[in-house]
C-alpha cells in the first residue's frame, strides 16, 4: 500500500457531460471528441475526482466509465494513441462517481425551488435501479426510473410518440417529495451507507446564480416550511460558496464576532445541529453545461480517492473540506518528511519505504511491535544533537542498536536524503526537528520537577528558539556579564580605597603631631629673628630677608609636590595603557565577528577612538620618560616646572647671601631655617594626607553607592528582558495558555553561599530576614525591601566588622559573594487559570507539550512518543485531540499512540500500523521480524482469512479497531460527533 493516507486533492463534484438531460450546451461533435476534451481538461486542471451529474439518471456516468475502461485503445486518425502513458495513468486513477440531481417539490415560490444531489458509491451502482430509481415515485405515483419518466411524459403529452422525447418531458416536470428520500434513508441502511445527499445552491439549471441558504433562514425563519426543513435535515452537505453559508453550517457564525463567549459559541453549534440535523460542509462544483465551464470551480477534499474518502466530509466537515485556489495546509517541502526506509540484510525490518503525510501521522501497534523504534530511528537520523537518544547512565550508548549492517534513510519532500549512519558532526538535512521521547513530558511534569531548573530552562529555551529573541537574550546576558565584571571591579576599587585610607592613616601617624610642629616652627622662627637682630639687620632688611626666605621655603614644598604628582601620573599611565590594550584586543575580536561589511567599516571608524586613546597615552608616557640617571629625556611640564623652581631657588640663595656676613651666625640661621622648612613640609604633608583621607572617604561612600546602583541595574536588566520576550509569549494566547515572566531571586543559593563563608558557631546571618529558612527560589521578592536588608549585612561585614567569618575567608571575597547575581528570569505557565506547579502530572504533561509545539519558531516536524501518557481520557478528548487537530495544520506531526481518540478523533491523515512477528497470538507469513503498513483511517477492508500476511489481511480502519482498545467505539463517536 504505497500511499500517504488522506491527501488534499481537487474534486469537481458536480459536472454535466455531453447529452445531459437538461440544458445541454456542449458543442463537441461527438461523445468521443467530448471525452477527449473532457479528460485533457481534467489533466490540465489536476482534477482527481469527478462527480458525473445528470437529472434523474446515471446513464452518462456509465458512458464515462466505459470510455475510461477503453482509454488505452483510443486512437488518433494516424493510428497512434490519443493519450500517452502518463495521461492514461492519470485518467484511470481519477475517482469517478455518479451524482444524480433531483428536483424537490416547491414550497413558497418558484424562485426558491431547491434541488438536491444524491452522490453514490460506484460499488453500489448495480443496486440503484432497485433501491433508488425504482423505489421513489412522484405525486402522481410514477416511478423515478427510465420507464416511469417515459410514462409520466406520456401522461403529460399523450400525443407524443418518441420515447426519448417523452423521457425528456418526464424529466422536465418530475418533482419528488423529500419525505420519500427521508424514508428511504431511514429504512434502507445500505442506501444510507452508500449515498451522500447534498442540497443544491442553484435555482436555475446550469445557472451560476447562487442561492444563499443562510439568508433564507435569517429572513424567513418563521415561514420556513416543513419541506425545506426535511431537505436540510436529510442533507449531508451544501452546495454553496457563500461565506455566510460556510460559517453557519459549520456552527461558526459567531466565531469572529467580538464579545461572544465560548459558551455562546457552543450553544450556536448545538442549535445548528438541532435545527439542520448536523454540522455540514459547503462544497462547490463547476456545474458545467458547456466545455468552457468544465472544472472551472472545484472543492479541495482531504481523503482517499474513493467513496469512503468522500464520506469523511460528513464526519469532519471543516477540516476535510476547503474552497480555495491554492492547496490547503501549505508546508515547505524542506520541512516535511516524505518517506523513510529500513535497510537490513537479515530481514529484521521491512524494506518497503514508509510514506508520510504532511499533517498528522500516527504509529500504532501491539506491545513491542516496533512503534517507538520507527520514531527513534527518524529522530536519530535527523536530530542535530543526539544526546537525548542515549542512555542516561554510563556507558551512554544509544538506546537502540542494530549492528554494523543496519541503515535507515529519511527522505524529505524536497528530495534530499540522509542516512542514520552520518557522523555526529555532519549537518542534518532537517536539524530543526523536535523529538519528545516516551515519558519525557511526564518526567518534567513530576511534582519535584515542575518548579525545577530543567523545566525553567526548557521554557526559556523555547522562548529563545526565535533567532530575534535569542539575540535579544544574548545581548541581555552580555549586559549582565558586563555588569558583573563592573560590579566586581567596583568592589575591588572599594577595598583598594579602603586599604588606601588605612595606609594613609598609618602614614599620617608617622608624620608627627601638628601642634608639636607648629610650636617648633614658631620657636625656630623666633630664634632666627633674634639672630638677625643680633647681627644688626634693620626691620626693613629683616622683612626683605623673610620675604626671600618664605619664598624659598614654598619652592621646597612645591618641588616635593611635583615629585609626588609625577609618581601619580606615572602610575596612571601604566594602568591606562593596560586597560586600553585590553579594549583594543576586544574591539578587534568584535569587529572580526561582524558579518555585514558596511557595519564593520562603520564601527572600525567609530571605535578608532580606542586606538587613538592608546596612542595618546603611549605618547604621553614617552614624553615624561626618564633616562638611566632618572633625568627627563624630553621636554615636558615636569621638567619645565623643576627647571623653573631650581632657577628661582638659586636666585633666592644669591639674594639671601648679603644679609648674613658672619659665617658662624649664617650657619646657625641656615640650620634653623632648614628645620623650619622641614617642619613646614611635614605640616604640608599632614594637611595633604588629611585631604587625601577625606577625599578617599568620600570616594569610598560614592563607590559603595555605585556598587548598589549597579546591583539594582542588574535586576532591572532582568525586568527589561522579560518585557522584551513578552511579545513572544503571545503566540500561545490562542491556546488559552499564558507565560508570565517575573524576575526572581534565588534565596536558597544565596543563603548557602553565605553560610559557606560564615562562622557556623556564631551564625551571624541568622539575624537577617533575607536568610530565612522558608525563602525559596520562587518566593516573592521586593527589591526595595531587599536592598535595605542587604546594606545592613554589607555594613556589618565591612564597616562595623561585627559579622563573623570562617578562617578561610576574607571580607572582599565575602562582599563579592554577598553581591553576586542571584537573580533569574522566572516563567510562570498558566493554562485554564491553573498554574503549572499546581497541575496534575497528566495535565502538566499536556501543557509542556503545548509549550514545546506552540513556542517552536520552526515549522519542522515534531516526533512524539505516546503524548497521552498520564492523561485521563477526558483530557485526551478535550485537550490533546483538539490541540493535535489544530497544530497538524501548521507542521507535520508523527506520533506513537495507543489511544483510540488520538488516532480517530484527531482525524489522523496517515496511520502506520507496526507488527513484530511472534509478539502476539496472530500468525503472519511476512518475511520480516518488524513490518509496517500505512494508510488513511477511511481505508477499510474486512478481515480476509485467505490473506496470511497479517498487515495485508485487513484495512487500516480494521487494524485500528483490532489493535487499539476502544477503537470501534472511537469510530462510532466520531461518526456521531456532528449530529450524524
Amino acid at each position: 500500500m504505497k500511499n500517504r493516507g488522506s491527501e488534499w486533492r481537487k474534486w469537481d463534484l458536480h459536472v454535466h457531460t455531453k447529452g445531459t438531460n437538461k440544458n445541454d450546451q456542449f458543442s463537441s461533435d461527438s461523445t468521443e471528441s467530448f471525452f477527449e476534451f473532457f479528460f485533457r481538461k481534467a489533466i490540465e486542471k489536476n482534477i482527481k475526482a469527478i462527480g458525473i451529474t445528470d437529472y434523474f439518471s446515471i446513464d452518462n456516468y456509465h458512458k464515462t466509465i466505459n470510455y475510461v475502461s477503453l482509454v488505452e485503445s483510443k486512437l488518433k486518425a494516424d493510428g497512434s494513441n490519443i493519450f500517452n502513458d502518463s495521461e492514461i495513468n492519470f485518467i484511470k486513477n481519477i475517482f469517478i462517481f455518479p451524482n444524480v440531481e433531483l428536483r424537490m417539490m416547491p414550497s413558497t415560490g418558484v424562485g426558491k425551488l431547491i434541488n438536491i444531489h444524491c452522490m453514490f458509491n460506484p460499488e453500489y451502482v448495480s443496486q440503484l435501479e432497485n433501491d433508488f430509481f425504482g423505489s421513489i415515485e412522484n405525486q402522481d405515483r410514477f416511478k423515478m426510473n427510465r420507464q416511469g419518466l417515459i410514462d409520466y411524459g406520456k401522461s403529460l403529452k399523450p400525443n407524443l410518440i418518441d420515447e426519448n422525447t417523452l423521457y425528456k418531458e418526464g424529466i422536465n416536470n418530475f418533482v419528488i417529495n423529500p419525505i420519500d428520500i427521508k424514508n428511504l434513508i431511514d429504512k434502507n441502511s445500505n442506501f444510507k451507507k452508500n449515498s451522500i445527499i447534498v442540497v443544491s445552491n442553484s435555482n436555475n439549471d446550469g445557472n451560476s446564480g447562487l442561492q444563499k441558504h443562510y439568508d433564507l433562514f435569517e429572513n424567513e425563519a418563521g415561514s420556513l416550511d416543513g419541506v425545506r426543513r426535511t431537505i436540510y435535515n436529510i442533507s449531508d452537505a451544501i452546495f454553496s460558496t457563500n461565506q455566510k453559508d460556510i460559517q453557519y453550517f459549520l456552527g461558526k457564525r459567531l466565531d469572529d464576532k467580538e464579545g461572544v463567549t465560548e459558551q455562546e459559541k457552543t450553544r450556536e453549534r448545538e442549535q445548528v445541529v438541532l435545527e439542520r440535523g448536523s454540522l455540514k460542509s459547503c462544497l462547490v462544483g463547476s456545474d458545467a453545461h458547456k466545455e468552457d465551464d468544465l472544472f472551472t470551480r472545484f472543492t479541495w477534499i482531504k481523503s482517499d480517492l474513493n467513496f469512503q474518502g468522500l464520506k469523511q466530509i460528513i464526519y469532519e466537515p471543516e477540516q476535510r473540506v476547503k474552497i480555495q485556489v491554492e492547496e490547503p495546509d501549505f508546508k515547505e517541502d524542506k520541512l516535511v518528511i516524505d518517506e523513510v526506509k529500513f535497510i537490513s540484510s537479515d530481514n529484521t525490518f521491512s524494506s518497503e519505504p514508509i510514506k508520510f503525510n504532511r499533517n498528522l501521522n500516527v504509529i500504532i501497534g501491539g506491545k513491542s511491535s516496533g512503534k517507538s523504534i520507527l520514531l527513534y530511528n527518524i529522530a536519530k537520523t535527523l536530530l542535530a544533537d543526539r544526546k537525548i537518544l542515549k542512555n542516561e547512565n554510563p556507558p551512554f550508548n544509544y538506546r537502540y542498536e542494530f549492528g554494523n549492517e543496519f541503515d535507515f534513510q529519511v527522505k524529505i519532500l524536497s528530495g534530499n536524503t540522509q542516512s542514520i549512519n552520518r557522523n555526529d558532526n555532519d549537518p542534518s538535512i532537517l536539524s530543526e526537528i523536535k523529538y519528545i521521547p516516551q515519558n519525557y513530558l511526564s518526567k518534567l511534569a513530576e511534582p519535584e520537577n515542575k518548579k525545577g531548573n530543567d523545566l525553567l530552562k526548557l521554557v526559556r529555551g523555547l522562548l529563545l528558539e526565535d533567532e530575534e529573541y535569542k539575540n535579544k537574550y544574548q545581548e541581555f546576558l552580555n549586559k549582565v556579564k558586563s555588569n558583573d565584571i563592573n560590579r566586581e571591579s567596583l568592589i575591588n576599587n572599594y577595598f583598594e580605597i579602603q586599604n588606601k585610607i588605612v595606609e594613609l592613616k598609618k602614614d599620617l601617624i608617622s608624620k608627627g603631631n601638628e601642634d608639636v610642629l607648629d610650636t617648633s616652627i614658631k620657636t625656630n622662627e623666633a630664634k632666627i629673628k633674634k639672630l638677625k637682630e643680633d647681627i644688626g639687620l634693620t626691620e626693613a632688611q629683616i622683612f626683605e630677608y623673610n620675604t626671600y626666605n618664605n619664598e624659598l621655603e614654598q619652592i621646597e614644598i612645591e618641588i616635593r609636590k611635583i615629585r609626588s604628582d609625577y609618581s601619580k601620573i606615572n602610575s596612571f599611565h601604566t594602568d591606562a595603557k593596560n586597560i586600553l590594550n585590553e579594549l583594543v584586543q576586544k574591539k578587534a575580536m568584535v569587529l572580526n565577528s561582524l558579518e555585514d561589511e558596511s557595519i564593520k567599516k562603520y564601527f572600525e571608524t567609530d571605535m578608532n577612538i580606542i586606538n587613538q586613546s592608546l596612542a595618546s597615552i603611549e605618547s604621553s608616557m614617552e614624553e615624561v620618560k626618564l633616562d638611566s640617571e632618572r633625568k627627563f629625556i624630553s621636554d615636558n611640564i615636569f621638567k619645565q616646572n623643576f627647571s623653573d623652581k631650581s632657577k628661582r631657588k638659586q636666585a633666592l640663595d644669591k639674594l639671601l647671601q648679603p644679609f648674613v656676613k658672619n659665617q658662624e651666625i649664617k650657619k646657625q640661621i641656615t640650620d634653623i631655617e632648614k628645620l623650619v622648612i622641614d617642619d613646614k613640609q611635614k605640616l604640608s604633608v599632614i594637611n595633604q594626607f588629611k585631604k587625601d583621607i577625606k577625599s578617599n572617604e568620600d570616594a569610598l561612600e560614592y563607590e559603595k553607592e555605585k556598587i548598589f546602583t549597579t546591583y539594582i541595574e542588574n535586576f532591572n536588566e532582568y525586568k527589561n528582558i522579560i518585557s522584551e520576550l513578552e511579545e513572544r509569549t503571545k503566540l500561545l494566547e490562542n491556546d488559552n495558555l499564558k507565560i508570565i515572566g517575573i524576575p526572581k531571586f534565588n534565596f536558597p543559593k544565596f543563603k548557602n553561599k553565605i553560610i559557606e563563608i560564615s562562622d557556623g558557631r556564631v551564625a551571624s546571618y541568622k539575624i537577617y530576614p533575607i536568610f530565612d529558612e522558608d525563602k525559596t527560589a520562587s518566593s516573592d521578592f521586593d527589591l526595595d525591601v531587599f536592598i535595605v536588608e542587604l546594606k545592613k549585612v554589607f555594613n556589618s561585614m565591612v564597616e562595623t566588622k561585627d559579622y563573623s567569618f570562617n578562617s578561610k575567608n576574607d571580607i572582599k571575597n565575602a562582599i563579592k559573594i554577598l553581591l553576586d547575581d542571584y537573580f533569574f528570569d522566572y516563567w510562570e505557565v498558566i493554562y485554564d487559570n491553573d498554574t503549572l506547579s499546581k497541575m496534575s502530572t497528566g495535565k502538566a504533561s499536556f501543557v509542556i507539550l503545548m509549550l514545546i509545539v506552540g513556542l517552536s519558531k520552526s515549522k519542522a516536524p515534531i516526533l512524539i512518543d505516546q503524548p497521552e501518557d498520564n492523561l485521563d481520557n477526558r483530557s485526551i478528548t478535550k485537550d490533546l485531540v483538539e490541540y493535535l487537530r489544530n497544530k497538524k495544520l501548521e507542521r507535520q506531526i508523527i506520533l506513537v499512540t495507543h489511544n483510540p481518540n488520538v488516532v480517530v478523533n484527531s482525524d489522523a491523515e496517515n496511520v502506520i500500523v507496526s507488527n513484530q512477528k511472534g509478539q502476539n497470538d496472530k500468525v503472519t507469513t511476512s518475511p520480516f521480524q518488524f513490518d509496517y503498513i500505512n494508510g488513511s483511517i477511511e481505508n477499510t477492508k474486512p478481515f480476509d482469512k485467505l490473506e496470511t500476511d497479517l498487515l495485508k489481511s485487513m484495512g487500516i480502519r480494521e487494524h485500528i479497531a483490532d489493535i487499539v482498545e476502544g477503537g470501534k467505539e472511537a469510530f462510532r463517536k466520531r461518526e456521531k460527533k456532528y449530529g450524524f
Side-chain angles (χ1 to χ4, degrees):
M1 191 182 297
K2 306 297 185 296
N3 64 69
R4 293 182 179 82
S6 305
E7 294 189 86
W8 287 110
R9 298 177 176 94
K10 293 179 182 179
W11 293 53
D12 191 337
L13 303 155
H14 184 186
V15 187
H16 291 269
T17 54
K18 184 173 180 62
T20 185
N21 283 327
K22 291 189 72 175
N23 196 23
D24 182 1
Q25 299 178 45
F26 293 107
S27 58
S28 299
D29 55 11
S30 68
T31 301
E32 287 290 311
S33 62
F34 168 77
F35 278 125
E36 181 185 348
F37 182 88
F38 180 89
F39 283 114
R40 288 204 181 282
K41 199 77 170 176
I43 293 168
E44 177 194 331
K45 298 289 186 179
N46 200 29
I47 302 295
K48 295 296 182 74
I50 302 172
I52 301 297
T53 308
D54 208 352
Y55 304 90
F56 302 99
S57 168
I58 60 170
D59 290 348
N60 284 349
Y61 163 76
H62 284 298
K63 291 177 185 176
T64 309
I65 293 298
N66 183 59
Y67 185 89
V68 171
S69 69
L70 300 172
V71 69
E72 287 117 326
S73 63
K74 301 297 179 183
L75 304 176
K76 298 177 183 176
D78 63 3
S80 62
N81 289 93
I82 290 177
F83 299 103
N84 62 36
D85 290 345
S86 173
E87 291 168 335
I88 289 169
N89 184 59
F90 187 98
I91 293 167
K92 291 181 81 69
N93 281 293
I94 296 174
F95 172 54
I96 300 171
F97 58 95
N99 176 355
V100 180
E101 190 165 359
L102 307 177
R103 189 165 51 255
M104 311 304 290
M105 189 178 293
S107 54
T108 58
V110 175
K112 291 175 183 175
L113 184 71
I114 293 181
N115 287 7
I116 68 165
H117 294 251
C118 298
M119 301 177 187
F120 293 108
N121 186 349
E123 295 175 8
Y124 184 59
V125 165
S126 61
Q127 300 176 55
L128 285 179
E129 183 62 32
N130 183 60
D131 287 0
F132 181 56
F133 294 113
S135 66
I136 292 177
E137 298 176 342
N138 69 0
Q139 68 272 27
D140 295 321
R141 310 294 292 172
F142 288 94
K143 291 189 181 298
M144 199 174 66
N145 56 18
R146 182 175 179 83
Q147 189 57 52
L149 289 163
I150 292 170
D151 292 343
Y152 183 52
K154 186 73 173 174
S155 73
L156 296 173
K157 297 278 183 77
N159 296 329
L160 292 176
I161 297 171
D162 180 67
E163 283 195 354
N164 287 333
T165 307
L166 291 169
Y167 178 61
K168 289 289 178 76
E169 185 65 27
I171 283 173
N172 286 335
N173 293 279
F174 203 92
V175 177
I176 65 169
N177 192 325
I179 297 299
D180 291 336
I181 298 291
K182 182 180 185 305
N183 290 338
L184 185 55
I185 291 169
D186 291 343
K187 292 176 182 177
N188 190 333
S189 60
N190 205 27
F191 177 86
K192 182 178 180 179
K193 185 170 73 173
N194 288 286
S195 64
I196 294 173
I197 310 299
V198 184
V199 180
S200 175
N201 69 337
S202 174
N203 57 10
N204 291 305
D205 295 326
N207 193 306
S208 61
L210 304 184
Q211 176 167 336
K212 299 175 182 177
H213 301 271
Y214 175 70
D215 289 347
L216 182 67
F217 304 143
E218 194 171 45
N219 299 326
E220 298 188 25
S223 63
L224 191 62
D225 58 275
V227 174
R228 288 187 185 276
R229 284 185 183 276
T230 299
I231 292 170
Y232 283 110
N233 282 333
I234 64 172
S235 68
D236 298 307
I238 310 292
F239 269 128
S240 176
T241 56
N242 181 266
Q243 196 59 36
K244 281 186 177 180
D245 288 349
I246 293 169
Q247 293 296 95
Y248 173 78
F249 283 106
L250 290 174
K252 298 172 76 71
R253 182 177 62 91
L254 303 177
D255 279 23
D256 296 330
K257 293 189 177 180
E258 292 184 8
V260 179
T261 66
E262 286 301 318
Q263 198 173 16
E264 288 172 320
K265 291 176 185 177
T266 301
R267 278 202 301 269
E268 166 74 9
R269 283 189 282 274
E270 290 170 349
Q271 193 66 24
V272 172
V273 172
L274 181 66
E275 294 180 355
R276 309 297 161 226
S278 64
L279 299 184
K280 308 176 197 298
S281 57
C282 283
L283 313 171
V284 67
S286 62
D287 191 13
H289 282 254
K290 55 186 178 183
E291 282 86 354
D292 288 347
D293 292 339
L294 286 171
F295 313 122
T296 51
R297 295 192 297 170
F298 54 84
T299 302
W300 287 100
I301 293 177
K302 183 172 59 179
S303 72
D304 281 349
L305 282 173
N306 54 42
F307 194 75
Q308 284 302 320
L310 182 56
K311 288 204 80 169
Q312 302 312 301
I313 69 171
I314 300 172
Y315 313 132
E316 298 293 344
E318 182 178 8
Q319 288 218 342
R320 293 277 190 148
V321 177
K322 295 288 182 228
I323 299 174
Q324 59 189 61
V325 176
E326 301 299 328
E327 182 177 347
D329 303 347
F330 170 78
K331 296 176 180 69
E332 280 191 87
D333 288 353
K334 67 179 182 181
L335 297 177
V336 177
I337 295 170
D338 179 35
E339 65 178 37
V340 303
K341 186 177 181 181
F342 288 97
I343 301 171
S344 58
S345 57
D346 58 357
N347 280 354
T348 301
F349 293 96
S350 167
S351 57
E352 289 294 325
I354 302 167
K355 300 281 186 178
F356 286 87
N357 192 279
R358 288 173 178 264
N359 288 5
L360 178 60
N361 303 266
V362 298
I363 307 169
I364 64 169
K367 187 177 180 182
S368 301
S369 60
K371 303 185 297 294
S372 294
I373 287 174
L374 174 57
L375 199 70
Y376 178 92
N377 280 305
I378 297 172
K380 187 178 178 185
T381 305
L382 296 176
L383 278 177
D385 184 355
R386 296 171 166 182
K387 284 181 202 168
I388 198 171
L389 302 170
K390 295 182 178 180
N391 293 314
E392 294 177 0
N393 301 314
F396 308 113
N397 293 330
Y398 286 111
R399 290 195 198 107
Y400 296 109
E401 296 281 8
F402 300 101
N404 295 330
E405 299 298 316
F406 173 79
D407 195 7
F408 182 86
Q409 292 182 346
V410 176
K411 179 184 173 187
I412 59 176
L413 213 51
S414 60
N416 303 84
T417 303
Q418 190 142 55
S419 165
I420 200 170
N421 294 321
R422 70 180 173 92
N423 292 324
D424 284 347
N425 295 327
D426 290 344
S428 166
I429 59 172
L430 194 47
S431 59
E432 296 165 313
I433 196 167
K434 285 201 173 295
Y435 173 57
I436 303 175
Q438 190 176 357
N439 300 322
Y440 175 77
L441 298 172
S442 55
K443 278 181 185 175
L444 284 172
E446 289 294 337
E448 63 270 22
N449 294 329
K450 276 188 286 190
K451 297 181 183 179
N453 202 35
D454 285 349
L455 190 55
L456 184 61
K457 279 183 180 177
L458 174 70
V459 175
R460 186 189 294 122
L462 291 167
L463 287 170
L464 303 183
E465 273 200 12
D466 187 310
E467 197 66 28
E468 178 188 349
Y469 291 92
K470 185 178 180 180
N471 290 337
K472 286 181 180 180
Y473 198 83
Q474 188 56 53
E475 287 172 14
F476 152 74
L477 290 178
N478 292 340
K479 286 179 185 176
V480 168
K481 185 179 178 182
S482 177
N483 281 349
D484 289 343
I485 293 168
N486 187 32
R487 188 174 59 256
E488 183 165 350
S489 175
L490 290 171
I491 292 170
N492 288 337
N493 288 344
Y494 180 89
F495 281 95
E496 281 178 20
I497 294 167
Q498 192 183 60
N499 290 338
K500 191 172 182 180
I501 292 169
V502 171
E503 291 301 318
L504 285 169
K505 285 181 175 179
K506 280 183 185 176
D507 287 345
L508 179 61
I509 292 169
S510 69
K511 298 302 176 187
N513 185 282
E514 282 181 278
D515 292 337
V516 172
L517 291 171
D518 263 336
T519 303
S520 176
I521 289 166
K522 287 174 183 176
T523 302
N524 286 328
E525 284 179 340
K527 286 180 181 178
I528 292 168
K529 185 180 179 185
K530 180 73 171 60
L531 286 170
K532 289 174 184 176
E533 288 172 349
D534 289 346
I535 60 173
L537 291 178
T538 65
E539 284 292 327
Q541 287 174 320
I542 291 172
F543 176 80
E544 187 179 359
Y545 179 91
N546 287 343
T547 300
Y548 294 147
N549 199 54
N550 287 341
E551 187 182 351
L552 187 63
E553 289 173 1
Q554 190 60 39
I555 284 172
E556 292 287 352
I557 291 169
E558 285 173 2
I559 287 171
R560 184 200 60 79
K561 287 181 179 178
I562 291 170
R563 288 195 180 100
S564 175
D565 288 349
Y566 176 79
S567 177
K568 290 173 184 175
I569 289 296
N570 210 31
S571 177
F572 172 77
H573 274 159
T574 303
D575 290 345
K577 182 179 178 181
N578 291 338
I579 291 167
L580 287 168
N581 269 322
E582 188 178 344
L583 281 175
V584 166
Q585 289 174 5
K586 285 186 177 179
K587 185 199 83 167
M589 288 173 64
V590 169
L591 289 175
N592 286 335
S593 72
L594 298 180
E595 298 175 52
D596 187 292
E597 278 300 319
S598 61
I599 292 172
K600 186 174 182 178
K601 284 180 181 177
Y602 175 84
F603 281 102
E604 275 178 347
T605 305
D606 189 64
M607 289 198 260
N608 197 45
I609 189 170
I610 300 172
N611 299 72
Q612 291 170 353
S613 298
L614 178 59
S616 178
I617 285 290
E618 287 174 340
S619 172
S620 183
M621 290 175 77
E622 197 64 31
E623 189 181 332
V624 297
K625 193 175 179 182
L626 300 174
D627 61 18
S628 58
E629 295 178 2
R630 293 195 60 76
K631 291 181 180 179
F632 289 108
I633 297 170
S634 306
D635 291 338
N636 59 65
I637 190 167
F638 292 111
K639 184 177 180 180
Q640 183 63 47
N641 283 1
F642 271 127
S643 176
D644 291 346
K645 302 298 179 192
S646 297
K647 286 176 182 177
R648 181 58 183 164
K649 183 174 179 294
Q650 289 173 4
L652 288 169
D653 283 339
K654 284 182 181 180
L655 289 170
L656 286 170
Q657 282 178 5
F659 289 93
V660 185
K661 303 287 186 181
N662 187 315
Q663 290 302 314
E664 186 180 338
I665 292 174
K666 182 180 178 181
K667 185 176 182 307
Q668 286 181 29
I669 290 173
T670 300
D671 290 344
I672 295 169
E673 282 176 343
K674 282 181 180 177
L675 291 174
V676 170
I677 289 171
D678 197 37
D679 285 344
K680 283 185 177 181
Q681 281 187 342
K682 285 180 182 178
L683 269 181
S684 173
V685 168
I686 288 170
N687 287 330
Q688 188 60 44
F689 265 84
K690 284 185 174 180
K691 283 180 184 178
D692 287 350
I693 289 167
K694 178 66 171 67
S695 173
N696 278 281
E697 284 175 342
D698 291 344
L700 190 71
E701 189 59 35
Y702 179 66
E703 208 72 8
K704 177 183 170 182
E705 288 306 312
K706 281 205 292 184
I707 289 168
F708 280 96
T709 299
T710 307
Y711 189 85
I712 292 166
E713 284 173 357
N714 227 38
F715 174 78
N716 289 333
E717 290 298 341
Y718 285 86
K719 288 173 68 175
N720 293 340
I721 190 59
I722 286 168
S723 177
E724 290 267 19
L725 295 179
E726 267 181 14
E727 192 65 31
R728 179 98 168 94
T729 67
K730 290 179 182 177
L731 289 174
L732 301 166
E733 287 180 352
N734 290 338
D735 298 324
N736 201 22
L737 190 64
K738 290 182 183 175
I739 301 182
I740 299 172
I742 310 162
K744 292 276 188 178
F745 187 84
N746 194 334
F747 283 103
K749 182 180 178 182
F750 175 58
K751 181 181 177 182
N752 290 336
K753 288 282 188 181
I754 295 298
I755 289 174
E756 284 176 13
I757 62 171
S758 301
D759 186 338
R761 296 167 297 180
V762 181
S764 303
Y765 55 84
K766 285 189 174 180
I767 65 171
Y768 301 102
I770 57 177
F771 300 113
D772 283 352
E773 291 281 349
D774 58 350
K775 286 192 178 294
T776 67
S778 57
S779 294
D780 290 338
F781 176 73
D782 185 321
L783 181 68
D784 294 334
V785 173
F786 182 80
I787 291 292
V788 171
E789 290 299 314
L790 199 63
K791 285 183 176 180
K792 288 179 182 177
V793 181
F794 182 95
N795 293 341
S796 175
M797 287 181 172
V798 178
E799 295 173 6
T800 60
K801 299 189 186 303
D802 51 10
Y803 193 99
S804 296
F805 299 102
N806 60 36
S807 58
K808 298 175 184 177
N809 195 66
D810 64 82
I811 296 174
K812 182 165 75 171
N813 183 56
I815 293 301
K816 287 180 180 180
I817 291 170
L818 178 73
L819 298 177
D820 201 359
D821 184 358
Y822 299 99
F823 302 117
F824 63 99
D825 47 312
Y826 178 77
W827 299 94
E828 183 77 82
V829 180
I830 301 170
Y831 177 64
D832 276 348
N833 298 316
D834 196 5
T835 59
L836 186 66
S837 57
K838 295 176 183 176
M839 293 177 193
S840 66
T841 300
K843 187 175 181 181
S845 299
F846 169 63
V847 170
I848 294 167
L849 173 64
M850 284 203 293
L851 289 173
I852 293 171
V853 178
L855 285 175
S856 176
K857 175 71 173 177
S858 169
K859 295 303 178 186
I862 181 165
L863 317 180
I864 320 173
D865 200 341
Q866 294 182 206
E868 72 273 16
D869 284 0
N870 299 308
L871 277 177
D872 58 64
N873 229 19
R874 183 178 174 278
S875 295
I876 293 169
T877 305
K878 176 180 176 289
D879 295 325
L880 180 60
V881 165
E882 194 59 34
Y883 192 71
L884 291 172
R885 286 170 65 86
N886 291 330
K887 292 302 169 185
K888 69 180 182 177
L889 305 180
E890 299 172 9
R891 66 196 299 178
Q892 187 181 41
I893 300 174
I894 305 170
L895 64 84
V896 171
T897 186
H898 51 69
N899 188 283
N901 288 313
V902 173
V903 182
V904 178
N905 290 320
S906 295
D907 193 29
E909 281 79 0
N910 188 32
V911 179
I912 300 163
V913 184
S914 62
N915 184 63
Q916 182 182 181
K917 194 184 286 189
Q919 285 296 311
N920 51 48
D921 57 358
K922 294 180 180 176
V923 178
T924 180
T925 56
S926 168
F928 306 106
Q929 182 184 347
F930 291 97
D931 205 357
Y932 301 88
I933 197 167
N934 72 290
S936 66
I937 59 175
E938 60 261 28
N939 178 280
T940 182
K941 170 189 166 185
F943 177 64
D944 182 357
K945 292 180 181 179
L946 299 177
E947 175 58 71
T948 56
D949 187 325
L950 178 62
L951 290 182
K952 296 175 182 176
S953 67
M954 62 183 89
I956 296 297
R957 180 183 173 113
E958 287 71 27
H959 275 299
I960 295 168
D962 181 54
I963 294 169
V964 185
E965 186 178 346
K968 288 181 182 177
E969 179 65 12
F971 275 113
R972 189 185 66 79
K973 286 182 178 178
R974 174 182 185 254
E975 290 165 12
K976 286 189 171 184
K977 179 170 55 174
Y978 297 121
F980 290 96

